[in-house]
Amino acid sequence: MFGPSRDGLPDAIEHLARAHRRHHPGAPLDALRRAYAVAERAHRGQMRKSGDPYITHPVAVTLILAQLGAETTTLVASLLHDTVEDTEVTLEQVRRDFGEEVGYLVDGVTKLEKVEYGAAAESETFRKMLVAAGSDVRVLSIKLADRVHNMRTLGVMRPEKQTRIALVTRDVLIMLAERLGVQAVKTELEDLAFAILHPEEHARTTQLVREHRRMPDPLQPIAAAVAETLREAGIEATVRVRPRHLLSVHRASVRRGSLGPCDFGRLLIVVDEDADCYAALGELHTCFTPIVAEFKDFVAAPKFNLYQSLHTAVADREGRVAEVLVRSRRMHQVAEAGVIALGDPHRPAEQSGAAADDAERADPTRPGWLSRLLEWQAQAPDPEIFWAELRDDLRRNREITVFAEQPGTGALQLPSGASCVDAAYARHGEAAHRCVGARVNGRLVTLGTTLRDGDTVRLLLAPEGSSEPSGDWLESAVTPAARIAIRRELTARSDRTRHAAAPGAPAGPADAR
């Protein structure tokens, strides 16, 4: 079963190596071979609840990552990710044999494995995950792939354990996948959790999709017409029908009441270059009838998780309406795999096949949102408050950019719905307690004013000690950083007042004799 193949790799990981080479044709495979040998030997004799040899699990997890385009270091760490937790292999051995970087990732995943899931520990789960991941989201990428394979094989568990794991998957890990932009993982986890948590709705939706597939897909002739239109315009593009996944079909049916024959999928247009996206959009809106309300430009304004696409909808001559996504090949790779598609974070980026300049690119293993979470999670005074604020923040899947009126102070990335209060704490930290007003686009506004993308903001601070936050600020603050800081200050103020009013409290200066 584990004999060597013609290129020296064990048969058990030859398919993994092929998947890796599709994304990284020149990648060396020796480290993968050695990592598999260590993992197979360490896990030998261990079995999963399904009855399969345990080694099938790290191989399956690593295959998921390889198919998404993860670089070699991540794959090596993935093969080894359970060895330190479940076998005699030590972290020191991993570092010695595979290097500090692999050791760091394995250590991070091992810490995640020790996190207790469940209702009682839920408020601490995400905090521990963030701390364990540190500054490298590849730890979280391995954890997500690990959860995908565990969810695929969850049928051997007791029903109550299936439900518990599916709930944590829905409430924590799916939101993580969304934040990391790993849509391929997110959609699969959504469907797997949907089947466990809502079996009746899942069965009805599955039947809907089966009935739809028995009939000719009306999107196919629209796709053919779009492909011909782009070909005549000289735009190189692939056009295909992209079926909605099950949970997406269910949500659409709930939202619309009933689904038409064109509502079970979208057209996906993939072009070579970014500029071709707009050229393709122009042809679509010229040769078909555009549904103007459906147009969104996530190319010029990407989502917080790196996602870029043009969204539109068009009607053909027969009145059939198709939703359309337009993106470049690079955008498509990132849309599916998120940060995993960005490659080795310690090497310069490559653009259009040519190496970038010598300057190291922005590190994709530390997205801005993760930096912000790591900063304020340490300040959260109470685990329950942290968890409530975190879940609310993660559900906000759009960001806005606002600019300071003063030159040279940089832009702020804030979640949609953020107010001037949020901008104040994002810009000034606890000094924002002294904020007394704001100007937005030159006009004086209240601190509760909701900001819009592109707004210019000037925050007005009172002298130190002359002002403090109001309890009303909590009603307009949406960011955890602002809400936690305000709550902490309000609590401290209440404690000071209570202490001053307590019998036997030290006399103030006015009472001194």
Side-chain angles (χ1 to χ4, degrees), residues 104-105 107-109 111-112 126-140 176 180 363-375 377:
Y104 177 84
L105 297 179
D107 185 38
V109 178
K111 289 175 181 175
L112 293 189
F126 215 110
R127 183 199 295 269
K128 290 178 180 177
M129 292 183 74
L130 291 173
V131 174
S135 61
D136 199 326
V137 294
R138 289 178 296 177
V139 172
L140 301 178
L176 246 185
L180 298 177
D363 187 353
T365 64
R366 188 69 175 269
W369 65 266
L370 179 58
S371 295
R372 292 196 297 273
L373 294 187
L374 285 168
E375 288 170 5
Q377 66 83 22

Side-chain angles (χ1 to χ4, degrees), residues 363-410:
D363 187 353
T365 64
R366 188 69 175 269
W369 65 266
L370 179 58
S371 295
R372 292 196 297 273
L373 294 187
L374 285 168
E375 288 170 5
W376 61 256
Q377 66 83 22
Q379 303 171 5
D382 180 274
E384 294 301 328
I385 291 176
F386 170 80
W387 178 238
E389 298 293 349
L390 176 64
R391 289 176 62 168
D392 184 61
D393 181 71
L394 287 173
R395 290 191 182 100
R396 298 177 183 275
N397 61 2
R398 292 291 308 278
E399 281 194 344
I400 62 171
T401 302
V402 298
F403 302 91
E405 188 176 288
Q406 305 93 322
T409 50

Side-chain angles (χ1 to χ4, degrees), residues 64 68 144-145 148 177 182-190 336:
I64 292 168
L68 291 170
L144 287 173
V148 169
V182 192
Q183 294 298 313
V185 166
K186 172 180 174 280
T187 54
E188 182 171 357
L189 287 178
E190 283 182 332
E336 292 297 293

Side-chain angles (χ1 to χ4, degrees), residues 405-406 420 424 428 431-440 443-445 447 457-463 467 473:
E405 188 176 288
Q406 305 93 322
C420 294
H428 297 293
H433 294 336
R434 299 185 281 116
C435 197
V436 292
R439 290 185 182 274
V440 175
R443 297 179 60 186
L444 193 63
V445 299
L447 288 174
V457 182
R458 182 183 183 90
L459 300 163
L460 309 175
L461 301 185
S467 186
W473 289 11

